[in-house]
PDB file of all heavy atoms in Angstrom:
ATOM      1  N   ALA A  94      -4.235  14.117  -7.015  1.00  0.00           N
ATOM      2  CA  ALA A  94      -2.995  14.843  -7.303  1.00  0.00           C
ATOM      3  C   ALA A  94      -1.752  14.055  -6.891  1.00  0.00           C
ATOM      4  O   ALA A  94      -0.633  14.514  -7.114  1.00  0.00           O
ATOM      5  CB  ALA A  94      -3.011  16.188  -6.589  1.00  0.00           C
ATOM      6  N   ALA A  95      -1.934  12.889  -6.289  1.00  0.00           N
ATOM      7  CA  ALA A  95      -0.786  12.107  -5.799  1.00  0.00           C
ATOM      8  C   ALA A  95       0.124  11.724  -6.959  1.00  0.00           C
ATOM      9  O   ALA A  95      -0.330  11.251  -7.997  1.00  0.00           O
ATOM     10  CB  ALA A  95      -1.270  10.867  -5.080  1.00  0.00           C
ATOM     11  N   LYS A  96       1.411  11.927  -6.742  1.00  0.00           N
ATOM     12  CA  LYS A  96       2.401  11.609  -7.766  1.00  0.00           C
ATOM     13  C   LYS A  96       3.552  10.808  -7.202  1.00  0.00           C
ATOM     14  O   LYS A  96       4.542  10.596  -7.859  1.00  0.00           O
ATOM     15  CB  LYS A  96       2.948  12.913  -8.360  1.00  0.00           C
ATOM     16  CG  LYS A  96       1.918  13.730  -9.053  1.00  0.00           C
ATOM     17  CD  LYS A  96       2.537  15.015  -9.580  1.00  0.00           C
ATOM     18  CE  LYS A  96       1.461  15.787 -10.299  1.00  0.00           C
ATOM     19  NZ  LYS A  96       1.409  17.178  -9.979  1.00  0.00           N
ATOM     20  N   ARG A  97       3.407  10.400  -5.919  1.00  0.00           N
ATOM     21  CA  ARG A  97       4.563   9.783  -5.284  1.00  0.00           C
ATOM     22  C   ARG A  97       4.183   8.695  -4.282  1.00  0.00           C
ATOM     23  O   ARG A  97       3.118   8.729  -3.686  1.00  0.00           O
ATOM     24  CB  ARG A  97       5.413  10.844  -4.589  1.00  0.00           C
ATOM     25  CG  ARG A  97       4.687  11.606  -3.502  1.00  0.00           C
ATOM     26  CD  ARG A  97       5.489  12.772  -2.933  1.00  0.00           C
ATOM     27  NE  ARG A  97       5.936  13.722  -3.891  1.00  0.00           N
ATOM     28  CZ  ARG A  97       5.245  14.771  -4.338  1.00  0.00           C
ATOM     29  NH1 ARG A  97       4.040  14.984  -3.889  1.00  0.00           N
ATOM     30  NH2 ARG A  97       5.760  15.590  -5.213  1.00  0.00           N
ATOM     31  N   LEU A  98       5.107   7.768  -4.117  1.00  0.00           N
ATOM     32  CA  LEU A  98       5.069   6.783  -3.043  1.00  0.00           C
ATOM     33  C   LEU A  98       5.576   7.490  -1.806  1.00  0.00           C
ATOM     34  O   LEU A  98       6.640   8.126  -1.844  1.00  0.00           O
ATOM     35  CB  LEU A  98       5.958   5.600  -3.406  1.00  0.00           C
ATOM     36  CG  LEU A  98       6.291   4.586  -2.325  1.00  0.00           C
ATOM     37  CD1 LEU A  98       5.047   3.852  -1.871  1.00  0.00           C
ATOM     38  CD2 LEU A  98       7.331   3.601  -2.820  1.00  0.00           C
ATOM     39  N   LEU A  99       4.840   7.406  -0.723  1.00  0.00           N
ATOM     40  CA  LEU A  99       5.165   8.141   0.491  1.00  0.00           C
ATOM     41  C   LEU A  99       5.129   7.193   1.692  1.00  0.00           C
ATOM     42  O   LEU A  99       4.145   6.476   1.887  1.00  0.00           O
ATOM     43  CB  LEU A  99       4.138   9.265   0.684  1.00  0.00           C
ATOM     44  CG  LEU A  99       4.302  10.212   1.849  1.00  0.00           C
ATOM     45  CD1 LEU A  99       5.546  11.077   1.667  1.00  0.00           C
ATOM     46  CD2 LEU A  99       3.068  11.111   1.949  1.00  0.00           C
ATOM     47  N   VAL A 100       6.200   7.164   2.467  1.00  0.00           N
ATOM     48  CA  VAL A 100       6.277   6.343   3.677  1.00  0.00           C
ATOM     49  C   VAL A 100       6.778   7.228   4.799  1.00  0.00           C
ATOM     50  O   VAL A 100       7.831   7.873   4.672  1.00  0.00           O
ATOM     51  CB  VAL A 100       7.226   5.135   3.495  1.00  0.00           C
ATOM     52  CG1 VAL A 100       7.303   4.307   4.772  1.00  0.00           C
ATOM     53  CG2 VAL A 100       6.792   4.264   2.320  1.00  0.00           C
ATOM     54  N   SER A 101       6.022   7.273   5.902  1.00  0.00           N
ATOM     55  CA  SER A 101       6.472   8.093   7.039  1.00  0.00           C
ATOM     56  C   SER A 101       7.744   7.484   7.620  1.00  0.00           C
ATOM     57  O   SER A 101       7.923   6.265   7.645  1.00  0.00           O
ATOM     58  CB  SER A 101       5.385   8.189   8.106  1.00  0.00           C
ATOM     59  OG  SER A 101       5.349   7.025   8.893  1.00  0.00           O
ATOM     60  N   ASP A 102       8.625   8.354   8.081  1.00  0.00           N
ATOM     61  CA  ASP A 102       9.886   7.887   8.658  1.00  0.00           C
ATOM     62  C   ASP A 102       9.630   7.006   9.877  1.00  0.00           C
ATOM     63  O   ASP A 102      10.314   6.004  10.083  1.00  0.00           O
ATOM     64  CB  ASP A 102      10.767   9.085   9.029  1.00  0.00           C
ATOM     65  CG  ASP A 102      11.236   9.856   7.799  1.00  0.00           C
ATOM     66  OD1 ASP A 102      11.068   9.359   6.656  1.00  0.00           O
ATOM     67  OD2 ASP A 102      11.770  10.970   7.980  1.00  0.00           O
ATOM     68  N   ALA A 103       8.620   7.349  10.670  1.00  0.00           N
ATOM     69  CA  ALA A 103       8.295   6.553  11.861  1.00  0.00           C
ATOM     70  C   ALA A 103       7.849   5.155  11.470  1.00  0.00           C
ATOM     71  O   ALA A 103       8.214   4.170  12.117  1.00  0.00           O
ATOM     72  CB  ALA A 103       7.208   7.245  12.686  1.00  0.00           C
ATOM     73  N   GLN A 104       7.080   5.052  10.404  1.00  0.00           N
ATOM     74  CA  GLN A 104       6.616   3.737   9.970  1.00  0.00           C
ATOM     75  C   GLN A 104       7.784   2.897   9.461  1.00  0.00           C
ATOM     76  O   GLN A 104       7.892   1.717   9.771  1.00  0.00           O
ATOM     77  CB  GLN A 104       5.553   3.859   8.884  1.00  0.00           C
ATOM     78  CG  GLN A 104       4.973   2.519   8.493  1.00  0.00           C
ATOM     79  CD  GLN A 104       3.864   2.641   7.478  1.00  0.00           C
ATOM     80  OE1 GLN A 104       3.745   3.635   6.769  1.00  0.00           O
ATOM     81  NE2 GLN A 104       3.041   1.627   7.397  1.00  0.00           N
ATOM     82  N   TYR A 105       8.665   3.490   8.686  1.00  0.00           N
ATOM     83  CA  TYR A 105       9.811   2.756   8.172  1.00  0.00           C
ATOM     84  C   TYR A 105      10.682   2.235   9.309  1.00  0.00           C
ATOM     85  O   TYR A 105      11.118   1.086   9.293  1.00  0.00           O
ATOM     86  CB  TYR A 105      10.646   3.629   7.234  1.00  0.00           C
ATOM     87  CG  TYR A 105      11.885   2.918   6.761  1.00  0.00           C
ATOM     88  CD1 TYR A 105      11.805   1.976   5.749  1.00  0.00           C
ATOM     89  CD2 TYR A 105      13.114   3.125   7.364  1.00  0.00           C
ATOM     90  CE1 TYR A 105      12.925   1.276   5.335  1.00  0.00           C
ATOM     91  CE2 TYR A 105      14.241   2.442   6.965  1.00  0.00           C
ATOM     92  CZ  TYR A 105      14.140   1.517   5.941  1.00  0.00           C
ATOM     93  OH  TYR A 105      15.250   0.816   5.545  1.00  0.00           O
ATOM     94  N   LYS A 106      10.908   3.066  10.320  1.00  0.00           N
ATOM     95  CA  LYS A 106      11.759   2.656  11.436  1.00  0.00           C
ATOM     96  C   LYS A 106      11.120   1.560  12.280  1.00  0.00           C
ATOM     97  O   LYS A 106      11.796   0.685  12.803  1.00  0.00           O
ATOM     98  CB  LYS A 106      12.092   3.861  12.310  1.00  0.00           C
ATOM     99  CG  LYS A 106      13.034   4.826  11.631  1.00  0.00           C
ATOM    100  CD  LYS A 106      13.208   6.090  12.435  1.00  0.00           C
ATOM    101  CE  LYS A 106      14.041   7.089  11.652  1.00  0.00           C
ATOM    102  NZ  LYS A 106      14.006   8.419  12.220  1.00  0.00           N
ATOM    103  N   LYS A 107       9.794   1.599  12.416  1.00  0.00           N
ATOM    104  CA  LYS A 107       9.095   0.631  13.268  1.00  0.00           C
ATOM    105  C   LYS A 107       9.040  -0.752  12.625  1.00  0.00           C
ATOM    106  O   LYS A 107       9.219  -1.762  13.279  1.00  0.00           O
ATOM    107  CB  LYS A 107       7.682   1.136  13.559  1.00  0.00           C
ATOM    108  CG  LYS A 107       6.888   0.264  14.490  1.00  0.00           C
ATOM    109  CD  LYS A 107       6.940   0.779  15.885  1.00  0.00           C
ATOM    110  CE  LYS A 107       6.014  -0.011  16.765  1.00  0.00           C
ATOM    111  NZ  LYS A 107       5.951   0.500  18.083  1.00  0.00           N
ATOM    112  N   HIS A 108       8.751  -0.798  11.333  1.00  0.00           N
ATOM    113  CA  HIS A 108       8.697  -2.091  10.655  1.00  0.00           C
ATOM    114  C   HIS A 108       8.991  -1.929   9.165  1.00  0.00           C
ATOM    115  O   HIS A 108       8.099  -1.905   8.334  1.00  0.00           O
ATOM    116  CB  HIS A 108       7.354  -2.798  10.892  1.00  0.00           C
ATOM    117  CG  HIS A 108       6.156  -2.055  10.417  1.00  0.00           C
ATOM    118  ND1 HIS A 108       5.535  -2.328   9.227  1.00  0.00           N
ATOM    119  CD2 HIS A 108       5.461  -1.049  10.968  1.00  0.00           C
ATOM    120  CE1 HIS A 108       4.516  -1.518   9.072  1.00  0.00           C
ATOM    121  NE2 HIS A 108       4.448  -0.742  10.114  1.00  0.00           N
ATOM    122  N   PRO A 109      10.279  -1.854   8.832  1.00  0.00           N
ATOM    123  CA  PRO A 109      10.640  -1.715   7.426  1.00  0.00           C
ATOM    124  C   PRO A 109      10.313  -2.986   6.640  1.00  0.00           C
ATOM    125  O   PRO A 109      10.587  -4.094   7.103  1.00  0.00           O
ATOM    126  CB  PRO A 109      12.146  -1.466   7.461  1.00  0.00           C
ATOM    127  CG  PRO A 109      12.603  -2.055   8.752  1.00  0.00           C
ATOM    128  CD  PRO A 109      11.447  -1.914   9.703  1.00  0.00           C
ATOM    129  N   SER A 110       9.703  -2.813   5.507  1.00  0.00           N
ATOM    130  CA  SER A 110       9.449  -3.930   4.610  1.00  0.00           C
ATOM    131  C   SER A 110      10.645  -4.084   3.689  1.00  0.00           C
ATOM    132  O   SER A 110      11.524  -3.220   3.629  1.00  0.00           O
ATOM    133  CB  SER A 110       8.185  -3.655   3.789  1.00  0.00           C
ATOM    134  OG  SER A 110       7.070  -3.639   4.646  1.00  0.00           O
ATOM    135  N   ALA A 111      10.685  -5.165   2.952  1.00  0.00           N
ATOM    136  CA  ALA A 111      11.767  -5.364   1.998  1.00  0.00           C
ATOM    137  C   ALA A 111      11.484  -4.643   0.688  1.00  0.00           C
ATOM    138  O   ALA A 111      12.389  -4.260  -0.026  1.00  0.00           O
ATOM    139  CB  ALA A 111      11.955  -6.855   1.738  1.00  0.00           C
ATOM    140  N   MET A 112      10.185  -4.449   0.378  1.00  0.00           N
ATOM    141  CA  MET A 112       9.806  -3.827  -0.878  1.00  0.00           C
ATOM    142  C   MET A 112       8.538  -3.008  -0.679  1.00  0.00           C
ATOM    143  O   MET A 112       7.649  -3.412   0.071  1.00  0.00           O
ATOM    144  CB  MET A 112       9.545  -4.896  -1.940  1.00  0.00           C
ATOM    145  CG  MET A 112       9.102  -4.340  -3.288  1.00  0.00           C
ATOM    146  SD  MET A 112       8.419  -5.604  -4.390  1.00  0.00           S
ATOM    147  CE  MET A 112       9.822  -6.676  -4.608  1.00  0.00           C
ATOM    148  N   TYR A 113       8.485  -1.867  -1.351  1.00  0.00           N
ATOM    149  CA  TYR A 113       7.275  -1.052  -1.361  1.00  0.00           C
ATOM    150  C   TYR A 113       6.684  -1.049  -2.768  1.00  0.00           C
ATOM    151  O   TYR A 113       7.426  -1.001  -3.751  1.00  0.00           O
ATOM    152  CB  TYR A 113       7.571   0.388  -0.937  1.00  0.00           C
ATOM    153  CG  TYR A 113       7.985   0.513   0.493  1.00  0.00           C
ATOM    154  CD1 TYR A 113       9.300   0.816   0.827  1.00  0.00           C
ATOM    155  CD2 TYR A 113       7.077   0.315   1.524  1.00  0.00           C
ATOM    156  CE1 TYR A 113       9.685   0.929   2.155  1.00  0.00           C
ATOM    157  CE2 TYR A 113       7.466   0.420   2.854  1.00  0.00           C
ATOM    158  CZ  TYR A 113       8.770   0.728   3.154  1.00  0.00           C
ATOM    159  OH  TYR A 113       9.156   0.834   4.458  1.00  0.00           O
ATOM    160  N   VAL A 114       5.368  -1.083  -2.830  1.00  0.00           N
ATOM    161  CA  VAL A 114       4.634  -0.972  -4.090  1.00  0.00           C
ATOM    162  C   VAL A 114       3.792   0.288  -4.008  1.00  0.00           C
ATOM    163  O   VAL A 114       3.069   0.484  -3.029  1.00  0.00           O
ATOM    164  CB  VAL A 114       3.735  -2.214  -4.320  1.00  0.00           C
ATOM    165  CG1 VAL A 114       2.804  -2.006  -5.498  1.00  0.00           C
ATOM    166  CG2 VAL A 114       4.593  -3.464  -4.510  1.00  0.00           C
ATOM    167  N   GLY A 115       3.907   1.157  -5.012  1.00  0.00           N
ATOM    168  CA  GLY A 115       3.149   2.406  -5.040  1.00  0.00           C
ATOM    169  C   GLY A 115       1.907   2.276  -5.898  1.00  0.00           C
ATOM    170  O   GLY A 115       1.977   1.763  -7.021  1.00  0.00           O
ATOM    171  N   ALA A 116       0.764   2.733  -5.371  1.00  0.00           N
ATOM    172  CA  ALA A 116      -0.505   2.642  -6.103  1.00  0.00           C
ATOM    173  C   ALA A 116      -1.341   3.890  -5.862  1.00  0.00           C
ATOM    174  O   ALA A 116      -1.153   4.594  -4.870  1.00  0.00           O
ATOM    175  CB  ALA A 116      -1.274   1.399  -5.649  1.00  0.00           C
ATOM    176  N   SER A 117      -2.282   4.136  -6.764  1.00  0.00           N
ATOM    177  CA  SER A 117      -3.253   5.216  -6.581  1.00  0.00           C
ATOM    178  C   SER A 117      -4.608   4.726  -7.077  1.00  0.00           C
ATOM    179  O   SER A 117      -4.684   3.884  -7.968  1.00  0.00           O
ATOM    180  CB  SER A 117      -2.820   6.480  -7.322  1.00  0.00           C
ATOM    181  OG  SER A 117      -2.727   6.240  -8.708  1.00  0.00           O
ATOM    182  N   THR A 118      -5.669   5.274  -6.479  1.00  0.00           N
ATOM    183  CA  THR A 118      -7.023   4.790  -6.746  1.00  0.00           C
ATOM    184  C   THR A 118      -7.949   5.923  -7.155  1.00  0.00           C
ATOM    185  O   THR A 118      -7.898   7.010  -6.582  1.00  0.00           O
ATOM    186  CB  THR A 118      -7.592   4.112  -5.475  1.00  0.00           C
ATOM    187  OG1 THR A 118      -6.780   2.980  -5.172  1.00  0.00           O
ATOM    188  CG2 THR A 118      -9.024   3.662  -5.671  1.00  0.00           C
ATOM    189  N   ILE A 119      -8.800   5.620  -8.116  1.00  0.00           N
ATOM    190  CA  ILE A 119      -9.890   6.513  -8.495  1.00  0.00           C
ATOM    191  C   ILE A 119     -11.190   5.743  -8.251  1.00  0.00           C
ATOM    192  O   ILE A 119     -11.392   4.653  -8.804  1.00  0.00           O
ATOM    193  CB  ILE A 119      -9.788   6.935  -9.971  1.00  0.00           C
ATOM    194  CG1 ILE A 119      -8.508   7.730 -10.191  1.00  0.00           C
ATOM    195  CG2 ILE A 119     -11.021   7.750 -10.382  1.00  0.00           C
ATOM    196  CD1 ILE A 119      -8.209   8.054 -11.631  1.00  0.00           C
ATOM    197  N   LEU A 120     -12.048   6.315  -7.406  1.00  0.00           N
ATOM    198  CA  LEU A 120     -13.350   5.711  -7.104  1.00  0.00           C
ATOM    199  C   LEU A 120     -14.394   6.183  -8.107  1.00  0.00           C
ATOM    200  O   LEU A 120     -14.315   7.298  -8.613  1.00  0.00           O
ATOM    201  CB  LEU A 120     -13.814   6.099  -5.698  1.00  0.00           C
ATOM    202  CG  LEU A 120     -13.073   5.486  -4.526  1.00  0.00           C
ATOM    203  CD1 LEU A 120     -13.503   6.138  -3.224  1.00  0.00           C
ATOM    204  CD2 LEU A 120     -13.307   3.993  -4.471  1.00  0.00           C
ATOM    205  N   SER A 121     -15.376   5.320  -8.365  1.00  0.00           N
ATOM    206  CA  SER A 121     -16.518   5.697  -9.199  1.00  0.00           C
ATOM    207  C   SER A 121     -17.752   4.994  -8.669  1.00  0.00           C
ATOM    208  O   SER A 121     -17.662   4.188  -7.734  1.00  0.00           O
ATOM    209  CB  SER A 121     -16.275   5.301 -10.663  1.00  0.00           C
ATOM    210  OG  SER A 121     -16.432   3.906 -10.830  1.00  0.00           O
ATOM    211  N   ASP A 122     -18.902   5.270  -9.266  1.00  0.00           N
ATOM    212  CA  ASP A 122     -20.121   4.600  -8.823  1.00  0.00           C
ATOM    213  C   ASP A 122     -20.135   3.128  -9.225  1.00  0.00           C
ATOM    214  O   ASP A 122     -20.960   2.354  -8.759  1.00  0.00           O
ATOM    215  CB  ASP A 122     -21.365   5.322  -9.350  1.00  0.00           C
ATOM    216  CG  ASP A 122     -21.402   5.418 -10.862  1.00  0.00           C
ATOM    217  OD1 ASP A 122     -20.369   5.154 -11.512  1.00  0.00           O
ATOM    218  OD2 ASP A 122     -22.472   5.770 -11.397  1.00  0.00           O
ATOM    219  N   LYS A 123     -19.200   2.705 -10.069  1.00  0.00           N
ATOM    220  CA  LYS A 123     -19.119   1.308 -10.503  1.00  0.00           C
ATOM    221  C   LYS A 123     -18.062   0.516  -9.747  1.00  0.00           C
ATOM    222  O   LYS A 123     -17.885  -0.668 -10.009  1.00  0.00           O
ATOM    223  CB  LYS A 123     -18.831   1.257 -11.998  1.00  0.00           C
ATOM    224  CG  LYS A 123     -19.947   1.859 -12.836  1.00  0.00           C
ATOM    225  CD  LYS A 123     -19.610   1.803 -14.295  1.00  0.00           C
ATOM    226  CE  LYS A 123     -20.749   2.458 -15.073  1.00  0.00           C
ATOM    227  NZ  LYS A 123     -20.437   2.614 -16.476  1.00  0.00           N
ATOM    228  N   GLY A 124     -17.326   1.165  -8.860  1.00  0.00           N
ATOM    229  CA  GLY A 124     -16.260   0.499  -8.121  1.00  0.00           C
ATOM    230  C   GLY A 124     -15.052   1.395  -8.014  1.00  0.00           C
ATOM    231  O   GLY A 124     -15.154   2.537  -7.596  1.00  0.00           O
TER     232      GLY A 124
END
Side-chain angles (χ1 to χ4, degrees):
K96 297 178 179 134
R97 60 187 56 86
L98 168 65
L99 183 67
V100 179
S101 79
D102 293 349
Q104 185 177 21
Y105 176 78
K106 290 173 186 167
K107 183 98 174 184
H108 60 99
S110 294
M112 178 194 298
Y113 293 109
V114 170
S117 61
T118 297
I119 297 173
L120 289 171
S121 75
D122 58 347
K123 296 179 182 173

